[in-house]
PDB file of all heavy atoms in Angstrom:
ATOM      1  N   GLU A  27     -10.090  -3.277   7.107  1.00 95.00           N
ATOM      2  CA  GLU A  27     -10.203  -4.636   7.311  1.00 95.00           C
ATOM      3  C   GLU A  27     -10.404  -5.329   6.045  1.00 95.00           C
ATOM      4  O   GLU A  27     -10.785  -4.745   5.007  1.00 95.00           O
ATOM      5  CB  GLU A  27     -11.193  -4.965   8.272  1.00 95.00           C
ATOM      6  CG  GLU A  27     -12.582  -4.611   7.883  1.00 95.00           C
ATOM      7  CD  GLU A  27     -13.787  -4.701   8.728  1.00 95.00           C
ATOM      8  OE1 GLU A  27     -13.639  -4.387   9.974  1.00 95.00           O
ATOM      9  OE2 GLU A  27     -14.842  -5.341   8.427  1.00 95.00           O
ATOM     10  N   GLY A  43      15.339   5.022  -4.083  1.00 97.00           N
ATOM     11  CA  GLY A  43      14.607   6.206  -3.866  1.00 97.00           C
ATOM     12  C   GLY A  43      13.968   6.654  -5.175  1.00 97.00           C
ATOM     13  O   GLY A  43      13.224   7.733  -5.236  1.00 97.00           O
ATOM     14  N   ARG A  52      -1.121  11.959  -9.969  1.00 95.00           N
ATOM     15  CA  ARG A  52      -2.241  11.788 -10.778  1.00 95.00           C
ATOM     16  C   ARG A  52      -3.427  12.673 -10.334  1.00 95.00           C
ATOM     17  O   ARG A  52      -4.444  12.852 -11.172  1.00 95.00           O
ATOM     18  CB  ARG A  52      -2.766  10.272 -10.901  1.00 95.00           C
ATOM     19  CG  ARG A  52      -1.871   9.354 -11.664  1.00 95.00           C
ATOM     20  CD  ARG A  52      -2.552   8.030 -11.884  1.00 95.00           C
ATOM     21  NE  ARG A  52      -2.810   7.262 -10.637  1.00 95.00           N
ATOM     22  CZ  ARG A  52      -1.916   6.618  -9.995  1.00 95.00           C
ATOM     23  NH1 ARG A  52      -0.732   6.474 -10.436  1.00 95.00           N
ATOM     24  NH2 ARG A  52      -2.226   5.961  -8.897  1.00 95.00           N
ATOM     25  N   GLN A  57      -8.804   3.856  -5.106  1.00 97.00           N
ATOM     26  CA  GLN A  57      -9.784   3.123  -4.486  1.00 97.00           C
ATOM     27  C   GLN A  57      -9.826   1.633  -4.774  1.00 97.00           C
ATOM     28  O   GLN A  57      -9.685   1.287  -6.081  1.00 97.00           O
ATOM     29  CB  GLN A  57     -11.214   3.708  -4.762  1.00 97.00           C
ATOM     30  CG  GLN A  57     -12.309   3.307  -3.731  1.00 97.00           C
ATOM     31  CD  GLN A  57     -13.670   4.004  -4.160  1.00 97.00           C
ATOM     32  OE1 GLN A  57     -14.173   3.982  -5.148  1.00 97.00           O
ATOM     33  NE2 GLN A  57     -13.990   4.764  -3.078  1.00 97.00           N
ATOM     34  N   LYS A  83       3.904   4.141   6.560  1.00 98.00           N
ATOM     35  CA  LYS A  83       5.044   3.759   5.702  1.00 98.00           C
ATOM     36  C   LYS A  83       5.280   2.235   5.846  1.00 98.00           C
ATOM     37  O   LYS A  83       5.164   1.631   6.876  1.00 98.00           O
ATOM     38  CB  LYS A  83       6.358   4.536   6.001  1.00 98.00           C
ATOM     39  CG  LYS A  83       7.423   4.441   4.922  1.00 98.00           C
ATOM     40  CD  LYS A  83       8.412   5.466   5.325  1.00 98.00           C
ATOM     41  CE  LYS A  83       9.334   5.689   4.091  1.00 98.00           C
ATOM     42  NZ  LYS A  83      10.217   6.845   4.428  1.00 98.00           N
ATOM     43  N   GLY A  93       7.372 -10.055  -6.626  1.00 96.00           N
ATOM     44  CA  GLY A  93       8.211 -11.282  -6.764  1.00 96.00           C
ATOM     45  C   GLY A  93       9.069 -11.137  -8.012  1.00 96.00           C
ATOM     46  O   GLY A  93       9.752 -10.186  -8.272  1.00 96.00           O
ATOM     47  N   ARG A  96       8.472  -8.520 -13.530  1.00 96.00           N
ATOM     48  CA  ARG A  96       8.808  -7.115 -13.794  1.00 96.00           C
ATOM     49  C   ARG A  96       7.441  -6.365 -14.110  1.00 96.00           C
ATOM     50  O   ARG A  96       6.704  -6.971 -14.776  1.00 96.00           O
ATOM     51  CB  ARG A  96       9.751  -7.027 -15.022  1.00 96.00           C
ATOM     52  CG  ARG A  96      10.089  -5.540 -15.514  1.00 96.00           C
ATOM     53  CD  ARG A  96      10.978  -5.625 -16.665  1.00 96.00           C
ATOM     54  NE  ARG A  96      11.221  -4.357 -17.259  1.00 96.00           N
ATOM     55  CZ  ARG A  96      12.222  -3.541 -16.740  1.00 96.00           C
ATOM     56  NH1 ARG A  96      13.071  -3.997 -15.945  1.00 96.00           N
ATOM     57  NH2 ARG A  96      12.340  -2.432 -17.200  1.00 96.00           N
ATOM     58  N   ILE A 111       1.425   5.631   2.586  1.00 98.00           N
ATOM     59  CA  ILE A 111      -0.055   5.566   2.228  1.00 98.00           C
ATOM     60  C   ILE A 111      -0.765   6.529   3.305  1.00 98.00           C
ATOM     61  O   ILE A 111      -0.576   6.301   4.502  1.00 98.00           O
ATOM     62  CB  ILE A 111      -0.443   4.045   2.260  1.00 98.00           C
ATOM     63  CG1 ILE A 111       0.391   3.281   1.422  1.00 98.00           C
ATOM     64  CG2 ILE A 111      -1.919   3.900   2.030  1.00 98.00           C
ATOM     65  CD1 ILE A 111       0.321   1.737   1.604  1.00 98.00           C
TER      66      ILE A 111
END
Side-chain angles (χ1 to χ4, degrees):
E27 61 185 48
R52 287 191 298 277
Q57 190 173 66
K83 197 164 192 175
R96 175 183 177 86
I111 303 165

